[in-house]
Amino acid sequence: MIYVVFAVLLWVSGWMLNVRLANGPHAQSRSIQLLVPAIFGLTILLIWELIVRGLSVPLVILPPPSMIAGRFAGSLPILWQDFVQTFVKGALSGYVIGCAAAFILAIVVDRFDFLRRGLLPVGNFMAALPIVGTAPILVMWFGFDWQSKAAVVVVMVFFPVLVNTVAGLRDTSDMQRDLMRTYGASYSQTLMKLRLPAAMPFIFNGLKIATTLALVGAIVAEFFGSPTRGMGFRISTSVGQLALDMVWAEIVVAALAGSFFYGAIALFERGVTFWHPSQRK
Amino acid sequence: MPIVCATGCGRGIKTMFKRSALPVLTVLGVIIALWYAACVPMNSAWTAQQLARSGATMTVTETVGAAWSQDRPRLPAPHQVAVELWDTVVMKKITSKRSLVYHGWITLSATLLGFAIGTSLGILLAVGIVHSRAMDMSVMPWAIVSQTIPIIAIAPMIIVVLYSIGVQGMIPKAIISAYLSFFPVVVGMAKGLRSPDAMQLDLLRTYYASDAQGFWKLRLPASMPYLFASLKIAVAASLVGAIVGELPTGAVRGLGARLLAGSYYGQTVQIWSALFAAAILAACLVAIIGLIEKVALRRMGMRQ
């Protein structure tokens, strides 16, 4: 019981510290802006630990964070193997293929107005559908290994990237296009020097949405059958064995992979679209 | 996009047909044609095997016909899926275990419950975020980071944990749905509640409006377009959540269960029809939100 009291005290003091920091004179400084969410996250973790221990919550319901960290550190080889299988082989290869295909199709679609009018509503419609549902079909076609996961990822990332790229390619004003015409620029010159750079913020928006979808697709596809490794496989079998610390360790891996993947694309975006108002300091 | 009617509105419908319906129908037609074409190489391996066994031969047209009418094809032809959909949606009694309406309702009820929970919690949290700086700085970064995480990975765990404490059926799926619809609503709604500009806020201050009045008369109405945009994302995510929530426990009811059962027993036509049912359901849900959005924004005097 003392643990629970301690948890409540910790929550109150952590919250008061954050209120003070957020309303303090240096609230706009970068260090405070990082510190406040860090304190919040740390408080949640500590309270989780204290509550689980204090109320002696059964391990099959919620393991404490210290146990998850222990399991994470203790099974690094398995986690790494699963990471390679699901993320590098499944999600990443599917992401590259899907985004490249969508990008190329977007350029073709943009060239022919008829295609754009026809494909864009269809693409918008498809982007809202539960495409993860194609996973059982693709697993049936491409087998249990990473190829089928990559195929699911291709289908999942394709439509958001397509729709965003087509929208981006239309984001130049008449004035800008007229200027290129007065320069006597050819279609490819206009594309390379004006329309593609102008489309970059949109394209990266699609690419960033696709990062999460890629991981979701690769993990969910493994629920329909996989070799005896992979994050989705490990999650579903560990849940069956009630080894929840292992499930949480995999979730930590998925969270880290997802955030870093997104962060890498965002960093890449900053390099490419340094001129855009949203990137300026 | 405002369409200005400058050249006389009599031709409106005809030009609209030419501008959007004709290209869309063409694209759909091409997709269906490609689908039929793809059935032949995908399914003819099985036919060839049967022929080799019996020693008979087949003409090309017979091979194509066989590819389009197999019982368990690798890729069912569009008409097979359409027939299966018609059979399981319209012809079966809706209480029958083989009716897609029955399975769809199981999934839809979990989706709607989860969507309602997730949306209300999301709106509440967004209101808190806008009104408390500490909450904003503590929670908002985590809400944004959590969108980059494949949240669906925890779906199996939620199902099993809730099962072990005796909760099963609709509630666990609804919780996954709620979880998936929660974050888009928080982020969208917080953005919307902040959308009034300094001039509008100043005007209210000169009226000596209280915080509560500012919220009800300015911030909340101004946030509606943002709210509806995120509701459309959230409802689609809820449906995905409910479907995925049916996978790990081997549920026997619901669209996700139909997908799973179909993949166990190689019933491809069943998988495809469940998939199309899910797609139609998602499209209807998004369309309903879009309709409410249109009516609400028009009544509020905001033109889309």
Side-chain angles (χ1 to χ4, degrees):
Chain A
M1 208 57 211
I2 189 80
Y3 280 124
V4 181
V5 175
F6 199 62
V8 173
L9 281 179
L10 192 72
W11 172 252
V12 172
S13 55
W15 189 248
M16 271 163 57
L17 180 64
N18 266 0
V19 168
R20 175 161 276 187
L21 282 175
N23 295 318
H26 303 292
Q28 296 303 324
S29 75
R30 192 157 172 76
S31 51
I32 298 287
Q33 298 226 326
L34 286 176
L35 191 64
V36 171
I39 291 175
F40 182 77
L42 211 66
T43 318
I44 294 279
L45 275 184
L46 282 173
I47 288 171
W48 175 357
E49 179 89 34
L50 288 170
I51 295 273
V52 168
R53 287 185 186 277
L55 300 179
S56 48
V57 177
L59 289 181
V60 292
I61 292 183
L62 190 65
S66 57
M67 206 173 141
I68 297 165
R71 174 54 78 114
F72 185 89
S75 41
L76 279 179
I78 295 181
L79 293 175
W80 175 251
Q81 181 196 4
D82 292 346
F83 172 78
V84 170
Q85 170 74 18
T86 302
F87 184 75
V88 180
K89 287 187 186 163
L92 211 54
S93 57
Y95 181 81
V96 171
I97 298 171
C99 293
F103 181 74
I104 292 167
L105 184 65
I107 294 206
V108 175
V109 165
D110 177 67
R111 178 92 180 167
F112 302 101
D113 200 43
F114 186 80
L115 261 183
R116 186 181 62 77
R117 287 216 196 103
L119 257 179
L120 210 56
V122 177
N124 263 324
F125 176 72
M126 296 292 282
L129 297 185
I131 295 183
V132 254
T134 55
I137 296 162
L138 292 167
V139 168
M140 209 177 277
W141 286 354
F142 293 96
F144 281 172
D145 209 357
W146 61 270
Q147 290 87 346
S148 62
K149 280 64 194 177
V152 175
V153 174
V154 168
V155 182
M156 281 193 80
V157 302
F158 185 78
F159 293 102
V161 176
L162 176 72
V163 170
N164 274 291
T165 309
V166 172
L169 284 172
R170 293 187 46 81
D171 194 49
T172 46
S173 63
D174 286 340
M175 191 101 89
Q176 290 167 322
R177 279 194 296 255
D178 280 348
L179 180 66
M180 292 306 275
R181 209 167 300 138
T182 57
Y183 287 163
S186 66
Y187 166 77
S188 59
Q189 281 171 324
T190 315
L191 185 69
M192 295 305 293
K193 291 190 197 299
L194 170 66
R195 303 180 58 214
L196 269 184
M200 279 303 157
F202 288 81
I203 296 175
F204 273 103
N205 188 27
L207 290 180
K208 285 195 282 193
I209 295 171
T211 55
T212 319
L213 291 178
L215 263 177
V216 169
I219 291 176
V220 171
E222 287 181 0
F223 295 159
F224 287 97
S226 74
T228 55
R229 57 184 183 277
M231 283 148 75
F233 166 80
R234 194 76 57 203
I235 287 172
S236 51
T237 49
S238 300
V239 161
Q241 299 158 354
L242 292 178
L244 283 197
D245 49 345
M246 191 66 195
V247 179
W248 278 100
E250 287 288 354
I251 290 170
V252 172
V253 174
L256 286 178
S259 318
F260 276 110
F261 195 12
Y262 188 92
I265 300 289
L267 212 64
F268 193 42
E269 178 186 19
R270 185 170 295 177
V272 175
T273 63
F274 58 90
W275 48 269
H276 194 262
S278 68
Q279 303 291 340
R280 281 187 221 138
K281 286 264 164 65
Chain B
M1 211 192 300
I3 298 167
V4 183
C5 193
T7 52
C9 288
R11 300 206 314 257
I13 292 171
K14 207 171 172 188
T15 43
M16 209 178 89
F17 178 78
K18 254 191 182 163
R19 281 185 58 86
S20 59
L22 185 66
V24 170
L25 289 177
T26 315
V27 167
L28 286 180
V30 170
I31 289 175
I32 290 178
L34 281 177
W35 185 349
Y36 268 114
C39 284
V40 176
M42 290 290 280
N43 298 336
S44 53
W46 185 81
T47 321
Q49 230 175 30
Q50 296 291 312
L51 286 181
R53 213 171 284 162
S54 62
T57 50
M58 258 186 179
T59 61
V60 176
T61 34
E62 278 172 338
T63 321
V64 171
W68 287 347
S69 55
Q70 268 177 32
D71 213 18
R72 288 181 175 191
R74 291 187 73 192
L75 175 62
H79 67 265
Q80 288 179 299
V81 178
V83 167
E84 169 84 7
L85 264 179
W86 178 259
D87 273 355
T88 49
V89 171
V90 183
M91 302 304 281
K92 294 270 187 298
K93 271 203 334 214
I94 55 167
T95 47
S96 155
K97 283 256 159 78
R98 301 187 59 192
S99 163
L100 264 185
V101 178
Y102 169 79
H103 289 284
W105 169 247
I106 300 279
T107 306
L108 180 66
S109 54
T111 305
L112 291 181
L113 180 64
F115 177 65
I117 298 172
T119 310
S120 355
L121 288 181
I123 292 175
L124 283 181
L125 184 65
V127 171
I129 281 176
V130 170
H131 279 270
S132 152
R133 272 192 65 79
M135 207 154 159
D136 174 26
M137 288 175 73
S138 314
V139 179
M140 205 55 187
W142 292 108
I144 291 169
V145 168
S146 73
Q147 295 211 299
T148 68
I149 296 172
I151 292 172
I152 221 135
I154 70 167
M157 194 179 61
I158 292 180
I159 301 272
V160 170
V161 165
L162 288 179
Y163 184 81
S164 72
I165 58 171
V167 181
Q168 52 178 314
M170 190 165 89
I171 304 293
K173 289 189 278 177
I175 288 179
I176 296 169
S177 286
Y179 201 58
L180 282 176
S181 57
F182 175 68
F183 292 105
V185 173
V186 172
V187 175
M189 189 69 184
K191 205 171 168 187
L193 287 174
R194 288 228 176 84
S195 64
D197 59 25
M199 190 109 85
Q200 293 167 320
L201 291 171
D202 279 349
L203 180 66
L204 278 192
R205 206 166 300 139
T206 59
Y207 288 164
Y208 197 59
S210 66
D211 268 0
Q213 284 171 323
F215 176 78
W216 288 109
K217 292 192 197 302
L218 175 61
R219 285 189 189 272
L220 195 64
S223 71
M224 284 302 130
Y226 294 85
L227 176 65
F228 279 112
S230 39
L231 284 185
K232 282 188 210 160
I233 300 171
V235 80
S238 296
L239 184 62
V240 173
I243 290 175
V244 172
E246 285 161 0
L247 301 180
T249 46
V252 288
R253 304 184 305 164
L255 290 177
R258 291 287 279 186
L259 286 177
L260 202 62
S263 85
Y264 278 161
Y265 302 116
Q267 296 284 1
T268 38
V269 183
Q270 182 186 325
I271 301 182
W272 280 89
S273 60
L275 197 59
F276 269 84
I280 293 166
L281 202 56
C284 289
L285 288 174
V286 174
I288 290 171
I289 304 258
L291 203 69
I292 298 174
E293 175 184 27
K294 219 172 179 177
V295 172
L297 291 188
R298 186 174 302 152
R299 286 201 59 175
M300 288 168 62
M302 279 191 245
R303 300 190 83 200
Q304 262 296 54

